[in-house]
Structure formats: C-alpha cells, structure tokens
C-alpha cells in the first residue's frame, strides 16, 4: 500500500541514546561485547521495547531475538534487523541503528493504524561482531542453517569463556525453534562504516553486496632467549616473524589493489618482556575483497610468505581459520527499490558494496535480502568517535519504512 508516512526521528535518536547507555564507556563510546552483562542489559532494553510495542518476542537457542507483528494474513514476515553487540571500542550506531529503526517503523505504522498484509518482524542476531567469539555473524549463521547450533554454543572466546555458558548466564538461551520464522524478505539498515557516502555527498547507499572475508589466527612459536647475550644468528624470534607478516599484509593489499584490504588487528607476544626474545606470537590476519578470486590469491600469497619467513627463523606455525565467507550479492530487484525509494524522497543515493560483514550476508542465502546504508562521519567506525547525523538516521529509516511496507503487501 502506498503511504507518505515518515518516521519520528527524535524518537529513534532517543532510543539510540538509551541503548548506548548499555555498556557506555567513559569516552562516549560503547563496549557491549557479545554475551556480556552489557549485552544482556541491551537485550533486556530492546526486548522490553518490542513487548511494549505489542510484538510477540521469540528467543532461539543461540539467543537470536525476533519480535513479530501480526499482519492481516498469516505467513512468513518481512524482517528488519541487525545486531546490538559491539566491538570493545564501539560506537552507538553500528548494528543498533538497524534494530531500532525497525522498532521505529513498527511504532510509526501502529500510530497510523496501518496493519500490513504480511506480518513484520524486527530481529537482533547474536554475536554479529565476532570480536569475542569467532566467527562473526554466528547468530545469523545458525539462524540460516549455515553453522550447527552445537558448534556455535561450544565456541571458546578470546577470553576463554564458552559461548553456550555465557548465553545461559545472561538468560538468553531461548527455546524458540532455530531459524524460525521463515523470512519472506530481509532489509537491514546500517551505517556505512566507510568514507564513500560522506566523501561523495550521498545520503543513502543502495548496497549491492558484501565483500568476501577471510580471518586467520596464526600461532608462531620460536624460543625465548636473552635479548643481550643471544647472537642474532641463533635467534628464533616469534616477534620478528609476526612483525614481518604484518608488514607483508600491508604490501600484499597494495600489490593486489582493487578492493583488497588486509589488517593485523590482534597481536600478543609472550612472554612480552623488554629483555626476552619472544617465544610466542599469536596474531590475526583479516583479508577482504569483493572479488573472490583475488581474495583466494591473497590468502595463497600470505600463507606462502608465513611459511617461508617462519622456516627461515626456525619458528613453527599453527594456523586456525576463524571465519571465511565468500562475497555475497543482494537481490537486484530489492537494490533497485532502495535506489528508487530514496529518489522518491529526493535523497541522493549511490550503489556501493559493503566493506563490513553483516547479518544480511547470511540472510541472503535464505530469502531476498538488501541493505540500506547511511553515511558515517569521516568514514569512522569500530571507534568511539563513530557518528551519523540524526537527519541521515531518519532518512535511512524512512526508506526502510516505505520499502518494508511495500514488501509486506
Ligand atoms: O568484521 C566485520 O566486518 C563486522 O563488523 N563483524
Ligand atoms: Mn554491524
Ligand atoms: Mn561492526
């Protein structure tokens, strides 16, 4: 049904503000790692808002939360959603905007007395970030059947915690059947987390797909030794090999070019002492590319470099794949509708790929899926300075409102 409804931007920003208090950092950022007490606080708040809006709230065995709004007819809902867990140095928009904009859409429709033909759903998926438990997006992976529930529950986090135990501890080991309800279509509003929309002056991003992601953990083992007495020719220095790998990753991204990116985000040396040659280095390498062939080439070259460099230093290597997702393309007709609806509102709009991973890339395997982006100030995200202007948040939510009501007819 056609309508000219617009969301209440102030109400959306007020909920964003209140959710940001769950895991608030002294520096204004948000630390709401998956399955922590802060995550529970955020979950309780959002599930409470769902219930206050009359949604039927279901919690599944991996802690995914789905609020259902009945339609005039039974059947698979049109789903909006994202995640509410954050990285340790997160902002208030990554994930939260997509979930709270979904609630805002529901409240706007309720105020206007509009009931859609199909049911609507608002969801948040467990552990989208993957900062504590890998892989990332494991809640939506389980929801779509791409990761066995037991495997996700058994995941040991970077802090040694076990996901299933943490889920029970915070009271979100639910009983709703995993992967239900079936979803008619999924639309996720999200901040771009990159510089493109702001730099080029666009308000809306019609996201064409998500790039491929490859996360590897490397455990390098050499020999601790005296920093002063050990001749260089005798060293088996894991710290040196780790540093070479980090520098190689940067060269590799530059040489492959295109959309190739490479990041060494985590690196721990032991014994990590000023006068001891490092015996061990545990590090992660995050490689991404929209082109899977190039991503595979990057993985191959990195693996070869790691083997050569470690062998030359007498250091052994253990590899663990933390995540590996091929690039995903969103449903072309939905991408076109995001673009057209943005233009109906006279919002400037650009098609672009997503550099970040999202739950939408998992939902795309089971239903027509698309994403709506809004600009990130300075392209900053996974950083306490993350910011998106209120009018951009409202614009994204308006496009979400119109697209979802269209899909629900
Ligand atoms: O890593 C990512 O792209 C997402 O934030 N989990
Ligand atoms: Mn996100
Ligand atoms: Mn994120």
């Amino acid at each position: 049904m056609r309508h000219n409804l617009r969301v209440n931007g102030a109400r959306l920003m007020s909920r964003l503000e209140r959710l940001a208090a769950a895991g608030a950092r002294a520096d204004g950022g948000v630390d709401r790692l998956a399955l922590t007490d802060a995550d529970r606080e955020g979950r309780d708040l959002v599930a409470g808002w769902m219930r206050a809006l009359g949604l039927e709230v279901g919690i599944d065995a991996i802690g995914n939360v789905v609020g259902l709004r009945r339609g005039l007819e039974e059947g698979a809902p049109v789903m909006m959603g994202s995640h509410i867990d954050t990285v340790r140095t997160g902002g208030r928009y990554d994930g939260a905007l997509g979930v709270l904009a979904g609630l805002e859409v529901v409240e706007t429709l309720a105020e206007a007395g509009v009931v859609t033909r199909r049911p609507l759903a608002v969801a948040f998926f467990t552990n989208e970030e993957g900062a504590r438990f890998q892989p990332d997006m494991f809640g939506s992976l389980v929801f779509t059947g791409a990761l066995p529930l037991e495997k996700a529950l058994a995941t040991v986090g970077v802090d040694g915690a076990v996901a299933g135990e943490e889920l029970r501890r915070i009271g979100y080991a639910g009983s709703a059947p995993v992967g239900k309800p079936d979803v008619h279509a999924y639309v996720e509003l999200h901040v771009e987390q990159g510089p493109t929309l702001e730099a080029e002056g666009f308000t809306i991003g019609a996201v064409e797909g998500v790039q491929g992601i490859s996360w590897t953990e490397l455990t390098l083992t050499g020999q601790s030794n005296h920093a002063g007495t050990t001749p260089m020719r005798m060293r088996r220095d894991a710290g040196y090999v780790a540093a070479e790998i980090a520098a190689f990753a940067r060269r590799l991204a530059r040489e492959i070019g295109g959309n190739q990116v490479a990041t060494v985000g985590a690196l721990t040396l032991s014994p990590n002492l000023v006068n001891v040659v490092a015996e061990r280095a545990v590090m992660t390498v995050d490689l991404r590319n929209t082109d899977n062939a190039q991503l595979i080439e990057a993985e191959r070259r990195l693996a070869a470099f790691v083997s050569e460099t470690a062998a030359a230093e007498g250091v052994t290597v253990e590899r663990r794949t933390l995540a590996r997702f091929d690039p995903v393309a969103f449903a072309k007709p939905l991408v076109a509708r995001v673009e057209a609806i943005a233009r109906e509102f006279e919002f400037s709009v650009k098609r672009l790929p997503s550099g970040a991973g999202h739950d939408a890339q998992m939902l795309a395997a089971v239903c027509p899926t698309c994403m709506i982006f809004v600009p990130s100030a300075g392209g900053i995200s996974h950083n306490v300075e993350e910011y998106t202007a209120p009018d951009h948040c409202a614009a994204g939510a308006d496009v979400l409102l119109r697209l979802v009501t269209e899909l629900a007819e």
Side-chain angles (χ1 to χ4, degrees):
M1 120 256 315
R2 299 292 303 156
H3 62 66
N4 289 317
L5 295 174
R6 307 293 289 260
V7 298
N8 178 329
R11 183 168 60 199
L12 172 57
M13 299 317 285
S14 159
R15 283 202 172 104
L16 273 165
E17 185 96 15
R18 289 167 63 193
L19 180 52
R25 293 166 49 100
D27 56 12
V30 181
D31 176 0
R32 201 165 51 235
L33 284 176
L35 308 184
T36 57
D37 290 342
D39 189 20
R40 167 175 45 196
E41 186 187 339
R43 286 165 167 267
D44 291 349
L45 184 62
V46 176
W49 283 331
M50 288 179 172
R51 293 188 179 97
L53 286 170
L55 302 186
E56 294 163 31
V57 176
I59 303 171
D60 73 13
I62 196 63
N64 295 319
V65 177
V66 179
L68 191 67
R69 182 182 197 243
R70 294 213 170 276
L72 297 172
E73 296 175 9
E74 296 293 314
V78 174
M79 181 182 276
M80 300 165 276
S82 193
H83 60 96
I84 64 167
D85 65 303
T86 73
V87 294
R88 200 190 303 281
T89 54
R92 60 185 55 191
Y93 303 90
D94 177 358
L97 178 62
V99 178
L100 299 183
L103 294 184
E104 177 53 34
V105 163
V106 165
E107 187 153 8
T108 301
L109 292 173
E111 279 176 337
V114 171
V115 180
T116 51
R117 183 168 69 84
R118 296 181 186 280
L120 297 180
V122 182
F124 58 84
F125 295 100
T126 297
N127 184 41
E128 185 281 341
E129 291 294 357
R132 187 184 184 199
F133 301 101
Q134 292 86 31
D136 51 348
M137 283 85 75
F138 88 11
S140 48
L141 274 169
V142 169
F143 185 86
T144 57
L147 176 69
L149 170 65
E150 294 315 316
K151 192 158 189 286
L153 293 171
T155 304
V156 177
V158 295
D159 55 1
V162 178
E165 291 169 16
E166 285 293 89
L167 197 60
R168 279 187 292 280
R169 184 182 66 80
I170 67 168
Y172 276 87
S175 54
V178 169
K180 290 299 176 193
D182 292 332
V183 181
H184 175 70
Y186 178 75
V187 187
E188 180 168 354
L189 169 63
H190 204 288
V191 291
E192 178 202 343
Q193 302 182 285
T196 306
L197 292 179
E198 182 191 62
E200 300 180 19
F202 289 96
T203 299
I204 297 292
V207 188
E208 293 183 300
V210 179
Q211 65 180 344
I213 300 176
S214 164
W215 285 2
T216 304
E217 178 191 76
L218 298 172
T219 301
L220 308 167
T221 306
Q223 181 185 49
S224 60
N225 218 326
H226 194 295
T229 59
T230 310
M232 297 314 286
R233 60 182 162 68
M234 280 179 61
R235 295 182 181 215
R236 291 166 50 209
D237 184 344
Y240 156 72
V241 174
E244 285 282 0
I245 291 168
F248 174 79
R250 171 61 65 97
R251 291 197 303 276
L252 180 66
R254 199 169 41 235
E255 285 163 19
I256 290 182
N259 289 326
Q260 183 63 50
V261 290
T263 311
V264 170
L267 170 57
T268 309
L269 296 183
S270 62
N272 204 34
L273 299 170
V274 62
N275 58 355
V276 181
V277 174
E279 175 188 24
R280 176 157 302 135
V282 182
M283 65 191 294
T284 58
V285 185
D286 177 325
L287 299 174
R288 306 195 197 196
N289 199 315
T290 48
D291 178 318
N292 209 37
Q294 287 188 349
L295 182 55
I296 291 167
E297 170 66 5
E299 288 172 316
R300 186 191 64 74
R301 288 174 59 180
L302 175 75
F305 181 84
V306 168
S307 299
E308 281 155 33
T309 309
E313 183 72 11
V315 164
T316 61
V317 184
E318 288 161 72
R319 289 177 172 81
R320 194 158 67 97
T321 298
L322 300 178
R324 180 59 171 91
F325 305 124
D326 287 351
V328 165
F330 290 139
K332 288 188 176 15
L334 291 189
V335 178
R337 287 306 299 151
V338 171
E339 203 173 28
I341 290 170
R343 291 200 172 112
E344 285 171 14
F345 283 113
E346 297 181 358
F347 297 142
S348 54
V349 55
K350 173 189 175 70
R351 287 174 177 245
L352 76 171
S354 172
H358 298 288
D359 293 308
Q361 77 190 88
M362 305 312 170
L363 272 288
V366 298
C367 69
T369 294
C370 69
M371 291 189 77
I372 304 160
F373 272 177
V374 287
S376 292
I380 298 290
S381 183
H382 284 190
N383 178 312
V384 299
E385 301 299 324
E386 181 184 86
Y387 177 75
T388 293
D391 58 334
H392 286 158
C393 292
D398 279 334
V399 174
L400 180 70
L401 168 62
R402 185 167 293 182
L403 177 55
V404 160
T405 39
E406 186 179 289
L407 293 171
E409 285 319 309

